[in-house]
Amino acid sequence: MTATSDEIYDALIIGAGPSGAVTAHTLAMAGFKVICLEQGDYVLPSDYAANHDMWELVVRGHWAAEPNHRRNPADYPLEVTDTDLSPSMYSGVGGSSIHYSALWARLSPSDFRVRTLDGVAEDWPINYAQLAPYYAEIDNFIGVSGMEGDPAFPPGYVPPLPPMPLGKYGMKAAESMNALGWHWWPHANAIPSQKIGNLAACARWGTCTQGCPEGAKASFDLAYWPTAIKAGAQLVTGARVARITVDERGTATGAEWIRNGERFQTRAKQVVVCANGIGTPRLLLLSASAQHPDGLANSSGLVGKNLMLHPNCAVIGYYDEDLESWRGPAGSAISSMQFAETDRSRGFVRGSKLHACPTPGLMLNGVDPHRLLPFDQLWGASFHQVIRTARSAIFWAANIDDLPEETNRVTLDPVLCDSDGISAPKISYRFSENTLKIRDFTVARMTEIHAAGGARKVIPITDLQGEPGHLLGTARMGRDPATSVVDEYGRAHDCSNLVISDGSIFVTGGSANPTSTITALALRNARKLVETLQGGD
């Protein structure tokens, strides 16, 4: 039995992560009747792993980044036997921004024109200049900290708040880059350096990915949802959407969802899917009907295909001096776009973004402690020396530009289900030859950086598992319905009142952390949806 309300909303949003929050806020501020269904719940700051004395152990349990390890009630399992990288995500108000390190990077202008410049993948139907005003509006709203003038980007990129202190490890990393003559710049962070709106000023706890106890990180449960709800948006938690419903013409009518075993149906004029690059294609495939036999919005056959996961690699360097590398923010003090653009002499196309990060905990620095010392020297009388060693480290890491491959995809598993009996997503993902070449090149460059800084020991990590939770490309935008799922405003080619506004609409992934672009696209899509609703469509 399904409970159906007579109420018809102007817009139904699925997913309360960053893009869902921005969409709800924009539509509610314009006076529209908005409801958002979120399968997770609010996370209380008191529940963050960082509040526990044994937080490094807590973060490996119910606070883990991968849902198959975490297994919280709101999670759905992933079938990952056919993947080189197990995806990370979080179900809850704020989505994966609860877990993210808040590195706030934009795509480069070239990322929108990869086909034109490099002859691979496809060009985006929009360019950097068209998205720049939306980037800036989001930056100003949440209080991004950074420094203007980065030569890696066009003029006009001006973060609204001053940058974070570089700290000792950041200064050391910058000195190493200067010695090599390579580009670096203070990294922009979605963490205010001074109080703004609902957010406190950063207190440099260094536990950003475990939840900020200070309330300073711009996770979107804090940065956008309070204002959206005050404007009139309705947020329902614990609501797992089973499928998007359509009428006899194939037009979206709303969604069926489950809460505590009870089924509900909510109707709306417009449906906006913000369920991430895995949850969105899963839901579209689950919403197959007589009008959409291969899945909703899937006449192109591309729903779920071209999954990009931004594989990460890293090199840890240990130095003689105390670099206070436990100080936050835990994202990055400086970043480098030295190797982000294509240089065919390297033997591959595109590249990687490098960022210098602290090492906030012995068990969280991406490497097993026994690689530093023999096992019996990690404990007892040696323990304090081990901790002092960790304070002297710099964690150089990189996002690799993960080009789209149709064989990298999300499908429905025929056996595995979530706790409500709904088919779970199967992830098929293999590193391409181009990706592996970028990775090897990047690891060599990060090793060079440590050598230039005088590191006494380096540990390369070519395959950084559990990172970074960037889920992109599985319902990409484009002008041609035969080669894309949505148009430049996220509107499904096959379903006039269905909008997709998350990382799944990316055409290429770039090497930048994607949340800045996801939210800028969501704002642009929502503004167009406001125009549509005002026109009575």
Side-chain angles (χ1 to χ4, degrees), residues 148-406:
E148 65 177 298
D150 188 344
F153 293 91
Y157 184 6
V158 183
L161 297 181
M164 294 293 176
L166 294 186
K168 291 183 179 180
Y169 88 89
M171 291 293 290
K172 184 69 174 179
E175 289 169 6
S176 301
M177 298 300 277
N178 286 342
L180 293 165
W182 291 349
H183 166 269
W184 68 270
W185 202 255
H187 205 302
N189 292 274
I191 303 172
S193 52
Q194 57 196 44
K195 178 173 172 53
I196 182 172
N198 297 314
L199 303 177
C202 179
R204 305 186 70 190
W205 282 68
T207 57
C208 308
T209 55
Q210 289 76 51
C212 176
E214 195 74 19
K217 185 179 76 170
S219 56
F220 280 69
D221 57 327
L222 299 178
Y224 259 91
W225 269 114
T227 310
I229 291 170
K230 186 176 181 180
Q234 182 179 344
L235 174 57
V236 181
T237 59
R240 173 169 281 149
V241 176
R243 70 183 183 102
I244 297 168
T245 56
V246 298
D247 61 20
E248 64 280 359
R249 298 173 298 168
T251 303
T253 58
E256 291 183 358
W257 50 283
I258 303 169
R259 189 183 195 188
N260 298 326
E262 187 176 357
R263 289 185 171 267
F264 300 87
Q265 182 166 344
T266 298
R267 297 189 293 172
K269 299 173 185 175
Q270 300 280 338
V271 175
V272 186
V273 188
C274 303
N276 81 40
I278 289 176
T280 288
R282 177 202 186 201
L283 182 56
L284 296 177
L285 295 173
L286 287 169
S287 301
S289 63
Q291 296 82 5
H292 301 279
D294 298 319
L296 184 57
N298 195 28
S299 66
S300 65
L302 291 175
V303 168
K305 294 182 179 178
N306 299 301
L307 174 66
M308 296 173 283
L309 293 179
H310 264 179
N312 274 10
C313 57
V315 180
I316 304 177
Y318 293 89
Y319 295 78
D320 289 326
E321 61 263 52
D322 181 358
L323 299 177
E324 297 183 349
S325 60
W326 50 271
R327 288 189 183 273
S332 174
I334 70 170
S335 63
S336 174
M337 301 296 283
Q338 181 73 30
F339 306 108
E341 302 290 344
T342 294
D343 180 344
R344 290 190 178 273
S345 68
R346 301 170 188 154
F348 53 82
V349 295
R350 308 312 296 158
S352 57
K353 178 177 81 73
L354 282 57
H355 33 270
C357 309
T359 52
L362 186 62
M363 298 177 70
L364 289 176
N365 61 7
V367 61
D368 291 333
H370 71 263
R371 291 181 64 181
L372 307 179
L373 289 169
F375 185 82
D376 59 356
Q377 294 181 33
L378 289 169
W379 316 103
S382 301
F383 183 71
H384 283 249
Q385 180 57 43
V386 173
I387 296 300
R388 282 193 290 271
T389 298
R391 289 168 59 103
S392 69
I394 300 176
F395 190 94
W396 271 103
N399 291 335
I400 294 171
D401 192 339
D402 189 20
L403 291 170
E405 305 268 354
E406 285 197 16

Side-chain angles (χ1 to χ4, degrees), residues 21-69:
V22 170
T23 303
H25 176 265
T26 305
L27 296 179
M29 290 294 288
F32 292 106
K33 191 175 183 180
V34 181
I35 186 171
C36 178
L37 303 176
E38 165 55 48
Q39 65 186 356
D41 205 341
Y42 283 95
V43 179
L44 299 176
S46 58
D47 291 337
Y48 291 156
N51 288 302
H52 297 266
D53 290 340
M54 301 294 288
W55 64 273
E56 291 187 45
L57 293 177
V58 174
V59 79
R60 292 184 169 217
H62 71 274
W63 199 251
E66 296 178 36
N68 287 0
H69 292 172

Side-chain angles (χ1 to χ4, degrees), residues 137-138 317 470 492:
E137 188 168 340
I138 298 286
H470 301 168

Side-chain angles (χ1 to χ4, degrees), residues 472-492:
L472 311 171
T474 49
R476 71 182 180 197
M477 63 164 65
R479 295 190 177 90
D480 185 353
T483 58
S484 60
V485 177
V486 300
D487 70 7
E488 65 175 284
Y489 293 104
R491 299 174 297 198

Side-chain angles (χ1 to χ4, degrees), residues 21 64 94 182 186 193 279 417 440 528:
W182 291 349
S193 52
C417 294
D440 291 346
K528 177 56 70 171

